[in-house]
Amino acid sequence: MRAARLIKMVLLLQSRPSMTGAELARELEVSERTVTRDALALSEAGVPVYSDRGRSGGYRLVGGYRTRLTGLARGEAEALFLSGLPNALREMGLEDAASAARLKVSAALLPSLRGASDSAAQRFHLDAPGWYKEPQTPELLPAVAEAVWDDRTVVARYRRQDTEVERELAPYGLVLKAGVWYLCARVGTSFRVYRIDRFTEITLSQERFERDESFDLPAFWDERAAQFTRSILRTEVVLRLSPEGLRQLPHLTDRASAREAAEAAGPPDGDGWTTLTLPVESADVAFTQLLAFGPELEVVEPAELRARFADSAERTARLYR
């Protein structure tokens, strides 16, 4: 533990001209007294750590000292590729590995380039969850992430409707979609997708599975996401849309289905409106989605949905009279 802290202290001082005791204590998560003891230990070991006293004092390395302790461990290198996703790293339990990797890279850079990571962090940031949603971190996510990194099989119990099911999984990859974590895993010879917040228990095996190197996580996820979207669009509605309504259609409903419906539609009528058939999840979901179009859309079929829109329009009109 102390050896790792001493190495980190050297790397911190190598990456910056000087650091105060308070700054080092904050970075190392120790007291300033511990920083003083660690600096003395480094000096006794031959590392030229120099301390300046006074208000502008601090610790620095003398004579352009450079350590070669910058080799990345495998876990640190893997975490480095995720360093633009700080919240995801924290949720998976990889924040410390990514921090160590960034520090080692910073220490190895030329002085003129050491601000590159901070510069990029102030210009690009990914906020994955959707608006108006409080993201919930699944309790078992770190255990699942550990299994994914180590290619270790797991025995998982998860909720499926009103029952719990147990499966042995080969966890291939994690996906964060709109603030929800999913696991892509092999079960037997097939691949499946599981919501991690539905896992109730995870037991990591000591055995490692042999990963299929041809497995492409982004391609697999895109295919399954498209299949899922198609599978839930079980109902069709016939709509008549104004030019503005037709323009809004891909932004307020499923984009692929909207595009296909518009391409299959006939030419606009004399008023410039287009009639098309759109796949939707259900009449209730369609009612909620299509209300956003206001007067730019008319529901033609089914009759029940058209009646709901007519009733909603009448009640809204009464409110504004």
Side-chain angles (χ1 to χ4, degrees):
M1 181 72 175
R2 191 189 185 198
R5 189 175 71 242
L6 292 174
I7 292 172
K8 185 174 182 179
M9 183 174 180
V10 173
L11 293 173
L12 282 167
L13 293 174
Q14 185 173 308
S15 64
R16 306 178 194 181
S18 176
M19 294 184 70
T20 66
E23 290 172 337
L24 282 168
R26 185 168 56 252
E27 290 283 352
L28 299 172
E29 298 181 351
V30 295
S31 67
E32 291 190 45
R33 180 174 296 180
T34 299
V35 169
T36 302
R37 288 198 297 263
D38 286 351
L40 179 61
L42 287 171
S43 180
E44 292 175 349
V47 178
V49 177
Y50 181 77
S51 174
D52 288 320
R53 299 184 180 276
R55 294 183 60 185
S56 59
Y59 294 88
R60 59 187 177 88
L61 293 174
V62 180
Y65 177 84
R66 305 286 295 174
T67 177
R68 298 194 177 192
L69 297 173
T70 53
L72 292 178
R74 177 182 175 86
E76 293 169 348
E78 291 171 334
L80 185 61
F81 286 99
L82 295 171
S83 60
L85 310 173
N87 294 334
L89 280 168
R90 183 170 55 253
E91 292 174 7
M92 289 189 289
L94 297 172
E95 188 174 30
D96 289 344
S99 176
R102 287 193 296 268
L103 185 57
K104 289 181 178 181
V105 169
S106 178
L109 291 174
L110 293 172
S112 61
L113 298 177
R114 286 177 191 156
S117 60
D118 292 336
S119 176
Q122 294 305 318
R123 286 166 173 79
F124 302 100
H125 176 69
L126 175 63
D127 185 10
W131 290 105
Y132 316 118
K133 293 182 180 179
E134 187 67 28
Q136 299 293 327
T137 302
E139 182 179 350
L140 297 175
L141 176 61
V144 176
E146 180 182 348
V148 169
W149 286 119
D150 291 343
D151 293 341
R152 292 168 62 183
T153 58
V154 300
V155 176
R157 291 186 62 84
Y158 67 97
R159 295 186 301 274
R160 189 169 68 182
Q161 297 178 345
D162 297 329
T163 62
E164 283 196 2
V165 181
E166 185 173 286
R167 291 283 188 274
E168 183 175 294
L169 309 175
Y172 267 63
L174 293 168
V175 175
L176 177 59
K177 170 72 171 179
V180 179
W181 284 95
Y182 297 88
L183 171 66
C184 301
R186 190 182 70 210
V187 185
T189 59
S190 62
F191 286 90
R192 301 180 185 177
V193 176
Y194 299 87
R195 276 186 61 144
I196 295 180
D197 58 7
R198 292 179 183 169
F199 286 144
T200 59
E201 185 178 344
I202 290 287
T203 303
L204 274 67
S205 169
Q206 296 304 315
E207 298 180 2
R208 286 179 166 80
F209 63 90
E210 186 175 347
R211 178 177 287 268
D212 181 356
E213 297 302 329
S214 66
F215 178 78
D216 185 332
L217 179 60
F220 171 78
W221 176 259
D222 288 345
E223 179 185 351
R224 288 304 173 92
Q227 289 177 0
F228 174 75
T229 300
R230 290 193 296 269
S231 70
I232 64 173
L233 301 179
R234 305 186 184 94
T235 304
E236 290 185 341
V237 294
V238 179
L239 309 174
R240 183 169 173 264
L241 298 111
S242 70
E244 176 59 21
L246 191 62
R247 187 192 66 80
Q248 294 180 15
L249 190 64
H251 305 289
L252 298 175
T253 60
D254 176 64
R255 185 178 297 272
S257 299
R259 183 178 62 252
E260 293 172 2
E263 291 174 351
D269 60 21
D271 296 325
W273 287 50
T274 301
T275 300
L276 53 78
T277 301
L278 180 71
V280 295
E281 184 174 345
S282 66
D284 288 337
V285 172
F287 179 73
T288 301
Q289 288 181 324
L290 301 179
L291 272 179
F293 287 83
E296 308 301 331
L297 175 146
E298 176 189 359
V299 175
V300 180
E301 295 179 3
E304 296 83 0
L305 184 59
R306 180 180 175 87
R308 286 183 66 179
F309 269 84
D311 177 65
S312 177
E314 290 176 1
R315 288 188 291 115
T316 301
R318 285 199 297 271
L319 286 174
Y320 287 95
R321 285 196 184 106

